[in-house]
Amino acid sequence: MLIADDEAPARAKLRRYLAEAPDFEVVGEADGGRSALEQVAALKPDVLFLDVQMPDIDGFGVVEALPADALPRIVFVTAHDAYALRAFEVHAFDYLLKPVSPQRFAALLARLRADAAPARTGDAETRLAALLEALPQPQRYAAHLLLEDGGRARFVEVERIDRIEADRNYLVVHAEGRSHRLRGTLERMAARLDPARFLRANRSTLVRIAAVREVTPWPDGEYRLLLGDGSRVTWTRRYVDAAPPSLLLRP
C-alpha cells in the first residue's frame, strides 16, 4: 500500500490504522502528487490511498497520469462534497471521508480482503476510464501538462502544444515536434484547457488555435486546418456549429 497525502498527520493516522492489520504492508509514503506518481511506478502498490487536494499535482491529476502497467486500487481520501463522493463510490475502489474513523477504515480493509485477487488489466483500465469521466470538472484552466519524455516526466506549457488526439483510454499530445501518451479522455482534457486557446475540431482531436496556420473551406460546411507542425486536421460541421460565438465570426 502507498499513502499519498501532503499532510504528515493524515499519513501518520493511516499508517497507525494499517499497523493494526498485519496482513497489509505500507511500502511507501508520498507528500505530493509528483512523488506519488514516481513511487507508484517504482513500487507498484496494490492499493493507493490518494488525497484529493495536494499542492503540486492534485489527486485527479495523479489518476490521469497513472502508468498503464501499474494500476493500483484507488482509495480517495477526501473532504470534498457529496457529488464528488458519489462519483468516487461508484468508480473508485473506495473513498475515505476526512476525518477517517476506525470503523470506516475497518470496513475498507474488509472490502480489500474480499477483493484480494489481482485485478485484470482490462478491468482496471475500464474502471479507471469511468472514474476519469466522473471526476468533477476543474475550476481553473491548466497552464502546464505533466508529460512523460524519454523515461522521465516534465511539465510542458500548454502554449507549446499543437494538438491532442484521443486513442481509446489515452491521449496523444503533440508538442514541440514530439508525441507523448497520457491517460485520460478528450472530454476531460477539453474541460481543463482554456476554450479561448483550444478548439475541439472533431470527435478525436483538440487543436491549439494559435498553432493553426491556414484554414481552408471544405465541403458540407467543414474546414481543413493546417497546423504549424505540418499536420492537417478536419474541423467537422458538428464542432464548427458548436464553436462559441466569441471564437468564430462568419459572414
Side-chain angles (χ1 to χ4, degrees):
M1 294 187 169
L2 177 67
I3 302 172
D5 196 309
D6 64 314
E7 298 179 353
R11 299 196 305 272
K13 185 173 187 178
L14 293 181
R15 185 180 279 276
R16 286 198 304 272
Y17 284 162
L18 288 166
E20 299 175 3
D23 51 335
F24 293 97
E25 178 185 4
V26 177
V27 297
E29 294 185 11
D31 60 2
R34 192 180 309 179
S35 174
L37 288 172
E38 293 172 352
Q39 294 198 51
V40 167
L43 301 173
K44 294 182 170 52
D46 294 322
V47 180
L48 172 60
F49 290 94
L50 184 60
D51 185 22
V52 171
Q53 294 176 305
M54 292 185 287
D56 55 352
I57 305 174
D58 66 15
F60 306 152
V62 170
V63 170
E64 292 175 339
L66 280 172
D69 60 349
L71 293 175
R73 293 170 177 82
I74 300 167
V75 179
F76 276 98
V77 185
T78 179
H80 272 213
D81 61 20
Y83 168 79
L85 294 179
R86 287 196 297 270
F88 298 157
E89 186 173 18
V90 172
H91 297 296
F93 182 84
D94 208 339
Y95 72 90
L96 297 173
L97 179 63
K98 293 180 179 179
V100 181
S101 69
Q103 296 79 10
R104 180 66 182 88
F105 198 81
L108 164 66
L109 295 185
R111 286 198 65 204
L112 288 169
R113 291 186 180 100
D115 192 57
R120 291 177 296 178
T121 300
D123 293 341
E125 290 193 353
T126 298
R127 289 200 304 272
L128 190 54
L131 172 59
L132 291 173
E133 290 292 343
L135 291 178
Q137 298 302 311
Q139 300 302 309
R140 294 178 295 178
Y141 297 124
H144 298 80
L145 294 183
L146 180 65
L147 302 176
E148 292 188 5
D149 185 8
R152 297 184 177 183
R154 66 187 182 98
F155 287 102
V156 175
E157 294 179 2
V158 296
E159 294 300 328
R160 298 181 180 274
I161 294 170
D162 292 306
R163 68 190 191 281
I164 302 173
E165 298 173 329
D167 182 13
R168 291 181 294 184
N169 292 335
Y170 293 86
L171 300 171
V172 181
V173 180
H174 300 272
E176 302 175 315
R178 306 184 67 173
S179 299
H180 311 264
R181 283 176 66 80
L182 176 69
R183 181 177 295 280
T185 67
L186 205 64
E187 286 73 18
R188 176 145 180 92
M189 180 59 72
R192 295 180 63 191
L193 297 174
D194 186 348
R197 291 180 168 86
F198 283 83
L199 169 73
R200 183 73 178 267
N202 52 57
R203 288 184 59 189
S204 60
T205 312
L206 285 165
V207 300
R208 184 169 60 88
I209 296 170
V212 177
R213 295 292 176 262
E214 182 179 298
V215 180
T216 303
W218 217 243
D220 301 321
E222 297 185 344
Y223 292 87
R224 288 279 279 179
L225 308 179
L226 173 64
L227 276 59
D229 64 358
S231 60
R232 295 182 183 273
V233 176
T234 300
W235 187 10
T236 62
R237 175 67 179 270
R238 171 185 174 185
Y239 291 96
V240 171
D241 292 343
S246 59
L247 174 65
L248 182 64
L249 291 177
R250 288 181 291 178

